[in-house]
Amino acid sequence: MPEDFLIRAALAGLGLTLATGPLGAFVVWRRMAFFGDATAHAAILGVALALATDLPVYAGTLAVALAMGLAVSALAGRGQAADSALGVLAHSALALGLIAVSFLPGVRADLSAYLFGDILAVTGGDLVWIWAGAALVLALIAWRWQALLTATVDEALAQASGIDPRRERLVLTLALALVVAVAVKIVGALLIAAMLIIPAAAARGPSRSPEAMAGFAVLFGALSVLGGLALSLRLDTPAGPSIVATAAAIFALSLLPRRAG
């Protein structure tokens, strides 16, 4: 019988993949990989602010991740290159977060858990937050699915259909902020983008429709979580990186049929 902490870890990871699967598909389609990475880096500033003010860490990371997305959208609207704006804001937020933590005694050791993740330390309360956050992200994406797809394929077509592409970008920004807040304790800020991108990228090969790609991304994410936990247990390796390494192996396998063909 698996230990309770392993069951909680598996449930936490599976809950996360329900959100990262379909959202990761949009990240891949829209080539927003750097955006997800930048939002995750900014979460460290949210962790520092939450620890300094005794607020829940989830609240701090959600607020900063959302502020990051809105700031990038505002800078892009003023003519700044999106990748430049992301680079400036992401590294600035990460640096400020690390500086802020240096002023908090006894917190530095805790920070590594948020950088690299500690899925094996997930509590029952964390599970409630993770599954609630995943359900909210799923509901948000399901509600805007067709509009998001149309805006992703062709913004001019979206406008002609009465869809505001800026609003759909805001929906994705909010969803990404929620995922970062949910995932920061599981796989860590440095690995969140990998869980968004790798399963979705692996899902491209066997998929014949957008819905199928979202579904395969969830499946591959779930296999990554379960396989990574098994690898961590067997080899005594860090759980978060083991999950991402398993996802990378699944991605490598997904390339084989295409190369053979």
Side-chain angles (χ1 to χ4, degrees):
M1 185 71 180
E3 298 287 346
D4 287 347
F5 72 91
L6 278 176
I7 295 174
R8 287 195 299 270
L11 288 174
L14 293 175
L16 175 63
T17 62
L18 289 176
T20 57
L23 183 58
F26 280 106
V27 169
V28 169
W29 291 330
R30 285 174 167 257
R31 299 181 180 179
M32 292 172 62
F34 194 20
F35 184 89
D37 200 34
T39 307
H41 278 67
I44 295 302
L45 177 57
V47 171
L49 292 175
L51 293 174
T53 56
D54 291 326
L55 288 173
V57 169
Y58 294 126
T61 53
L62 177 60
V64 172
L66 186 56
M68 161 68 79
L70 295 175
V72 169
S73 297
L75 287 175
R78 293 188 175 188
Q80 293 285 337
D83 57 346
S84 299
L86 283 168
V88 170
L89 290 172
H91 292 95
S92 299
L94 179 60
L96 288 172
L98 294 174
I99 290 171
V101 166
S102 70
F103 289 101
L104 302 175
V107 168
R108 291 187 188 184
D110 295 336
L111 188 62
S112 63
Y114 296 103
L115 283 169
F116 304 107
D118 194 4
I119 193 171
L120 297 179
V122 168
T123 66
D126 292 329
L127 280 178
V128 173
W129 168 257
I130 290 163
W131 279 85
L136 187 55
V137 170
L138 273 177
L140 191 61
I141 292 177
W143 173 48
R144 303 301 304 168
W145 179 262
Q146 196 57 52
L148 284 167
L149 275 180
T150 305
T152 297
V153 172
D154 190 333
E155 289 196 356
L157 175 62
Q159 289 178 328
S161 303
I163 298 169
D164 184 355
R166 292 175 298 178
R167 182 180 60 197
E168 304 314 317
R169 282 196 296 269
L170 181 60
V171 169
L172 285 178
T173 297
L174 177 58
L176 270 171
L178 280 169
V179 165
V180 168
V182 166
V184 70
K185 189 172 182 179
I186 302 175
V187 293
L190 300 183
L191 301 177
I192 289 172
M195 286 305 295
L196 276 167
I197 298 162
I198 299 176
R204 261 185 161 165
S207 301
R208 296 295 177 265
S209 68
E211 292 80 8
M213 182 168 164
F216 273 115
V218 173
L219 174 62
F220 292 155
L223 291 175
S224 301
V225 168
L226 297 177
L229 287 175
L231 182 69
S232 174
L233 186 64
R234 184 175 182 82
L235 302 180
D236 195 25
T237 53
S242 297
I243 290 171
V244 177
T246 304
I250 292 173
F251 173 74
L253 290 173
S254 76
L255 298 178
L256 295 179
R258 285 188 287 175
R259 286 184 176 179

